[in-house]
Amino acid sequence: DAKTTQPTSMDCAEGRAANLPCNHSTISGNEYVYWYRQIHSQGPQYIIHGLKNNETNEMASLIITEDRKSSTLILPHATLRDTAVYYCIVDAWAGSYQLTFGKGTKLSVIP
Amino acid sequence: DTGVSQDPRHKITKRGQNVTFRCDPISEHNRLYWYRQTLGQGPEFLTYFQNEAQLEKSRLLSDRFSAERPKGSFSTLEIQRTEQGDSAMYLCASSSRDSSTDTQYFGPGTRLTVL
């Protein structure tokens, strides 16, 4: 079973910030939080990951709460091309290298 | 910057036939993964290679499935005696052992339809 909980779907107006939440209350101290997205009929695309500090790259920002039980992916200026399913994954690092995907959040960016 | 490539992108076959898919990872990556994704679901792990060694297999990988990575570079996934339930997107990913966090990068996938 996935170790994360995400809303099934969200809408965001084009040009606005999209804030995608994820709960991972059972995360272990050495587990990372990864975010991927999947645009229809394509392979998942890596976005960002973090351990406990907030992270930013050219695609997004990742905010992790101090207790590490939840995180938020922020797309600062959403475009129509950001419409996708977004997956929050806790890295099953210890003894296994598989990524366990849940059903993710379907983000629809609306003109 | 060459990413993960997969071939073919689409495959339609009749039930009972054998199919083989190929994955070419990012050149410096020594870890390679196969996942399967059915409609409306997230990808599910199938198997994992480190160099040429197959180190982990999911219970989803039935006896009809076999994966190889003979020289630690490209990999093949073969499905024998295909069934309609094998219809899915087959995804390949690769990562580098040298990376502290082992980020996996995915290919575009091979969509299999079994008639």
Side-chain angles (χ1 to χ4, degrees):
Chain A
D1 291 339
K3 295 183 175 181
T4 62
T5 304
Q6 299 178 253
T8 302
S9 63
M10 293 181 63
D11 292 339
C12 178
E14 189 178 17
R16 296 290 194 130
N19 296 280
L20 292 92
C22 179
N23 287 323
H24 31 79
S25 59
T26 61
I27 191 170
S28 299
N30 61 349
E31 288 183 317
Y32 285 76
V33 179
Y34 280 80
W35 283 85
Y36 284 80
R37 73 180 181 184
Q38 190 170 26
I39 297 169
H40 182 62
S41 295
Q42 299 182 21
Q45 178 188 23
Y46 165 76
I47 302 173
I48 198 167
H49 71 276
L51 184 62
K52 52 186 176 182
N53 297 322
N54 297 338
E55 302 288 345
T56 296
N57 63 20
E58 65 278 4
M59 290 183 67
S61 295
L62 173 60
I63 309 297
I64 303 174
T65 58
E66 191 170 347
D67 63 7
R68 301 208 329 121
K69 292 186 177 182
S70 66
S71 61
T72 301
L73 178 74
I74 301 172
L75 308 178
H77 305 287
T79 71
L80 299 179
R81 294 173 64 179
D82 292 322
T83 293
V85 177
Y86 287 76
Y87 297 100
C88 169
I89 300 166
V90 169
D91 183 18
W93 183 252
S96 173
Y97 299 96
Q98 59 179 281
L99 294 176
T100 302
F101 288 80
K103 292 192 175 182
T105 296
K106 168 66 176 175
L107 175 68
S108 298
V109 179
I110 302 167
Chain B
D1 179 20
T2 304
V4 178
S5 61
Q6 293 187 245
D7 184 69
R9 295 292 308 277
H10 303 273
K11 179 70 176 179
I12 300 174
T13 190
K14 293 183 179 179
R15 188 176 54 187
Q17 298 295 305
N18 299 343
V19 295
T20 300
F21 310 140
R22 176 180 170 123
C23 170
D24 287 89
I26 294 171
S27 59
E28 65 269 23
H29 285 183
N30 58 357
R31 291 177 171 163
L32 187 146
Y33 314 78
W34 285 99
Y35 291 79
R36 182 176 72 183
Q37 184 175 26
T38 54
L39 201 61
Q41 304 297 316
E44 296 174 291
F45 171 80
L46 291 178
T47 190
Y48 152 67
F49 290 85
Q50 182 162 303
N51 299 313
E52 65 275 10
Q54 188 174 19
L55 297 184
E56 193 170 349
K57 292 196 291 186
S58 162
R59 58 180 172 76
L60 295 175
L61 211 66
S62 75
D63 291 344
R64 296 184 297 105
F65 287 69
S66 63
E68 293 183 344
R69 194 182 183 200
K71 296 183 180 179
S73 57
F74 72 91
S75 175
T76 58
L77 178 67
E78 180 183 16
I79 309 174
Q80 296 182 327
R81 304 181 304 280
T82 53
E83 302 173 356
Q84 288 184 328
D86 297 331
S87 295
M89 174 81 88
Y90 290 85
L91 294 159
C92 177
S94 69
S95 68
S96 170
R97 180 182 183 184
D98 294 331
S99 165
S100 63
T101 54
D102 200 45
T103 300
Q104 296 183 27
Y105 295 90
F106 285 80
T110 294
R111 181 166 297 282
L112 173 66
T113 302
V114 182
L115 302 176

